[in-house]
Amino acid sequence: MESFTTTHIKTSLTALGIPFESNEVELDHLRFKSFRRIEPHGIYYAEGRSHAGIRESLVLCTDTEGFDASNCLIRLSHPQLAFYKLMRHFHGKEGSAGVHPSAIVDPDAVIAPGVEIGPYCVIGKAELHAGVKLSSHVVIADNCILGENTVVEPHSTIGASGVAWVWDVETGERVVQPQIGGVVIGKNCFLGSDVSIVRGSVNEDTLVGDGTVIAHGTKVGHGCTIGAHNHFANNVSLAGNVSTGERCFFGSAAVVRPMISLAADTTVGAGAVVVSSVDVPHQLLMGVPARSTEPAKDKLSGVPKKNSNRTEQA
């Protein structure tokens, strides 16, 4: 793993436009490390947590009091945000644009410059905007649009066929409705591995708003409308025609029944089953069936904290 010096970090913070102050301790052989495994020569951020035991490391912090003198202390406004930006700066995946030879791409697909299509992907009559990155074994069906800089991890399917059917009362046959709509995914979205998004049923699309993050194993039903900057933890299930406002957060294994509408800034707890719509923003839904309460604290477990002095970035 690549290592860094304090000069590397300070130079990069300046390049990223992050103002800071620092002491004069100079260190080398630094690597990004977690508070769950504290070791010397780490790069850490201290934000509302104990820093006991950190030695000979670089620490991003808001308050320099109480640290061991062997540490390089860099004081700035948002340590966690700076830590993430630095990790992205040094360790962000840099793939190569183009189509892997093993991928299958419909000749009528519209592929913008700078798109990366990985091994064994299958692309139908879809539209992929600039900066889209598809890892291996991704399927993009017909009538799907992926916005700029959207990333899709392995074994995910965009535009899958949903299951809508009725019984033929005369023959006893199950009659399945063909689903002929599409999927529109906004800009700067991230879809983890094994995510399935079902296309719209007839003349509607399934919509995913800009900046939405969908973690591994999540399933989105036909005709859903997901607001901008939603966050889905792993294995969330949205049934068909669910509508969510902006900045909703869904904990692991949450389930939402069909036709539900959720207001902006709704938080659905892990394992909750939502059976009723919520039209008041900033509600916390918990339990089976889920009950609505106002969040009791500013920082909910698992929900990234919003900085009040900055706007959401696309």
Side-chain angles (χ1 to χ4, degrees), residues 41-66:
H41 296 280
I43 301 171
Y44 301 97
Y45 72 90
E47 194 170 273
R49 61 178 73 198
S50 171
H51 45 72
I54 298 179
R55 303 284 188 276
E56 300 176 36
S57 294
L58 183 146
V59 186
L60 308 173
C61 56
T62 56
D63 184 357
T64 59
E65 293 296 324

Side-chain angles (χ1 to χ4, degrees), residues 271-289:
V273 178
V274 182
V275 299
S276 301
S277 294
V278 175
D279 58 5
V280 178
H282 301 284
Q283 297 297 295
L284 171 62
L285 309 181
M286 299 178 64
V288 181

